[in-house]
Amino acid sequence: MNVLVQKYGGTSVGSIDKIKNIARRVIEEKKKGKDMVIVVSAMGKSTDKLVEMAKSISENPCNREMDMLLATGEQVTISLLSMALKEYGYDSISLTGFQAGIITEGNHTKNRITKIEIEKIKNHLKDGKIVVVAGFQGINDNGDITTLGRGGSDTTAVALAAKLNCECEIYTDVDGIYSVDPRVFPEAKKLDVISYEEMMEMASLGAGVMETRAVEIGFKFKVPIYVALNTGEVKGTYIKEYDETMEDKMITGLTATDDVLMITINNVEYNSKNIALIFDKLAKANVNIDMISQTAPFNGLVNVSFTASKNDVFIIDEVIESLKNELKKIEVSKDSKISKISVVGIGMMNQSGVAGKVFKIFSDNNIEFKQVTTSEISISYTIDSNDKTKAITVLSKELNL
Ligand code: ADP
Ligand code: ASP
Ligand code: MG
């Protein structure tokens, strides 16, 4: 088999005309002898609209029902694309995640793919059909429809490519991966190639162009990923294994995210059991903690701050209520006007000095940071959201991104 997986994101399938265009593009590849598997997202901003509808009924809607609701978006696109392909004379079949054999596990709204019964797709390909699969969704052991987290169609596409042992092309509304989101810093440079590690780090730190889990799967199964504009006319960016030919830059990219909620728990009686209690309860509630900081003890009390995703605000509130029963003196404050700015580069593994450079740029531009964390190939700073645009601009210019 000569399979190619292509994925088209929301903007690329945002209207009937666009869906017809995609059908024509897919047919061009089919004519070259490729067995085509097409993964699509919901049309335009329709997933956001579904979320809005849910939120107009409940501030904190049940996650099982959210999955049921959000999965409908992709179903609209698969059927329309399949109809368009048939209209142009090409046999095609649309498949939901369940019909495509995508089995998932985990919590509703953030499931992980655990298994793909790929024979189902292969059989349709053998019959000569163009297979159109709904991104972002699967089915769990209870037979419930699940979703993979926002942006999860990328994950569907790369996971299918891994199983089909082929390349994965991600078509989107930007003509490749840039050092910085070009919508935020238009002078950013387009990258011809980026390593899985760097893209994974950038994605997890806010570069929404690729979903983190998708890159992780690509890395694990060595799936060549190509990200490009949906017209196919401009050369895009390859995500692949790091090799010596890649430019040995210290910093490859910069990302920013506003999805940061900072919680400060004041007046925690200072002993390690209390700190453990806080983070144990958060872990049991499945809250993903990002940064943690703690003040020095004063009169036997410390203040503990941590950051997490804003999506977890309701669970965090519940955890805090339960903590108040055990840690009577605590006072808790939440700050959601925080942004996280990160610089990423594999070159940081064997070169030092990035943190110092960034601190200097911040201080020269009167930008205060609140917390800092590092990984092997990134450094992240939380700052006041009002300083975000200034921070992105000055860092990108000074670091030549
Ligand atoms: P799709 O609907 O096709 O999945 P997304 O909106 O998820 O598209 O991703 C594409 C967007 O990612 C672009 O419009 C761009 O603004 C944003 N983006 C963020 N960081 C980057 C980056 N480093 N390079 C390119 N695009 C980026
Ligand atoms: N439609 C889903 C979303 O908007 C999945 C995706 O587009 O990848 O998040
Ligand atoms: Mg996306």
Side-chain angles (χ1 to χ4, degrees):
M1 284 189 134
N2 182 14
V3 190
L4 175 62
V5 173
Q6 290 188 330
K7 178 249 166 179
Y8 292 92
T11 325
S12 316
V13 291
S15 68
I16 296 297
D17 278 344
K18 286 184 175 175
I19 290 178
K20 287 182 181 173
N21 279 340
I22 300 303
R24 286 191 280 266
R25 287 205 36 174
V26 171
I27 288 167
E28 286 310 306
E29 291 299 322
K30 175 77 182 161
K31 280 185 187 159
K32 291 181 199 160
K34 293 265 165 68
D35 299 308
M36 301 298 288
V37 176
I38 310 302
V39 175
V40 283
S41 293
M43 290 174 72
K45 299 263 173 244
S46 59
T47 310
D48 291 339
K49 292 202 184 105
L50 293 170
V51 173
E52 251 172 55
M53 280 198 241
K55 297 264 164 167
S56 70
I57 290 181
S58 162
E59 218 187 324
N60 185 21
C62 158
N63 284 340
R64 180 190 179 278
E65 302 312 326
M66 277 311 274
D67 274 358
M68 193 67 108
L69 178 69
L70 297 198
T72 61
E74 273 64 17
Q75 220 168 304
V76 172
T77 326
I78 52 169
S79 45
L80 291 174
L81 179 58
S82 212
M83 282 176 204
L85 289 162
K86 286 182 191 180
E87 195 59 25
Y88 294 132
Y90 282 77
D91 199 7
S92 164
I93 185 162
S94 65
L95 301 175
T96 62
F98 162 60
Q99 291 171 319
I102 297 173
I103 318 291
T104 71
E105 228 176 66
N107 296 327
H108 275 292
T109 76
K110 33 184 165 181
N111 267 251
R112 290 164 72 90
I113 299 174
T114 48
K115 193 167 129 196
I116 301 180
E117 292 158 357
I118 201 69
E119 290 309 314
K120 295 186 173 167
I121 289 181
K122 278 189 175 166
N123 288 337
H124 291 300
L125 291 175
K126 278 181 200 146
D127 289 343
K129 293 189 171 103
I130 297 174
V131 180
V132 183
V133 181
F136 171 60
Q137 55 173 261
I139 189 127
N140 66 16
D141 279 348
N142 296 331
D144 283 327
I145 292 176
T146 58
T147 65
L148 309 177
R150 297 302 304 270
S153 298
D154 294 339
T155 312
T156 306
V158 178
L160 288 177
K163 269 282 176 186
L164 292 160
N165 207 3
C166 67
E167 186 171 323
C168 183
E169 297 179 347
I170 304 279
Y171 289 105
T172 181
D173 60 358
V174 60
D175 62 0
I177 295 163
Y178 282 74
S179 53
V180 188
D181 184 347
R183 283 184 215 288
V184 183
F185 181 64
E187 293 110 277
K189 298 185 182 76
K190 186 158 78 178
L191 310 169
D192 292 331
V193 59
I194 183 169
S195 66
Y196 291 116
E197 290 94 329
E198 286 168 318
M199 191 62 235
M200 227 160 21
E201 197 82 355
M202 280 180 68
S204 75
L205 293 169
V209 61
M210 278 296 292
E211 212 273 328
T212 313
R213 182 84 190 112
V215 192
E216 245 171 53
I217 294 173
F219 182 38
K220 188 167 170 197
F221 296 98
K222 305 287 169 267
V223 179
I225 304 173
Y226 176 67
V227 179
L229 190 64
N230 51 36
T231 59
E233 283 160 5
V234 191
K235 194 165 167 283
T237 304
Y238 283 95
I239 308 174
K240 56 178 210 157
E241 270 189 290
Y242 178 78
D243 69 51
E244 300 310 314
T245 62
M246 290 184 188
E247 206 183 335
D248 198 12
K249 282 184 292 194
M250 187 133 85
I251 301 171
T252 302
L254 177 148
T255 64
T257 176
D258 294 328
D259 184 18
V260 185
L261 181 67
M262 186 160 107
I263 314 288
T264 303
I265 309 181
N266 291 310
N267 304 336
V268 181
E269 278 183 49
Y270 182 51
N271 78 52
S272 54
K273 274 195 193 128
N274 287 342
I275 311 294
L277 177 76
I278 295 171
F279 290 102
D280 186 49
K281 275 188 189 283
L282 288 163
K284 286 196 174 122
N286 264 321
V287 177
N288 206 345
I289 305 292
D290 186 14
M291 301 181 170
I292 299 176
S293 58
Q294 183 190 302
T295 56
F298 183 70
N299 289 339
L301 299 175
V302 291
N303 302 337
V304 178
S305 297
F306 62 89
T307 61
S309 164
K310 284 179 179 152
N311 291 329
D312 286 339
V313 64
F314 293 105
I315 318 174
I316 293 172
D317 283 345
E318 280 171 19
V319 171
I320 284 168
E321 280 317 304
S322 109
L323 276 171
K324 281 181 178 164
N325 295 327
E326 291 171 69
L327 308 174
K328 303 281 184 211
K329 286 187 188 160
I330 60 170
E331 280 169 24
V332 181
S333 62
K334 278 188 279 186
D335 189 349
S336 56
K337 290 215 169 92
I338 305 271
S339 299
K340 182 164 77 171
I341 306 283
S342 310
V343 287
V344 175
I346 221 162
M348 279 184 217
M349 282 210 291
N350 43 28
Q351 293 176 61
S352 53
V354 177
K357 250 190 204 166
V358 174
F359 284 134
K360 172 90 173 50
I361 297 168
F362 278 170
S363 96
D364 287 350
N365 290 279
N366 299 318
I367 298 167
E368 300 275 346
F369 67 91
K370 294 173 191 288
Q371 287 162 315
V372 183
T373 50
T374 62
S375 84
E376 238 180 352
I377 63 164
S378 72
I379 307 178
S380 300
Y381 304 78
T382 45
I383 59 171
D384 190 297
S385 289
N386 290 326
D387 286 332
K388 183 176 90 170
T389 312
K390 180 162 88 173
I392 294 173
T393 309
V394 293
L395 285 173
S396 303
K397 284 193 174 141
E398 297 285 334
L399 300 170
N400 195 24
L401 295 171

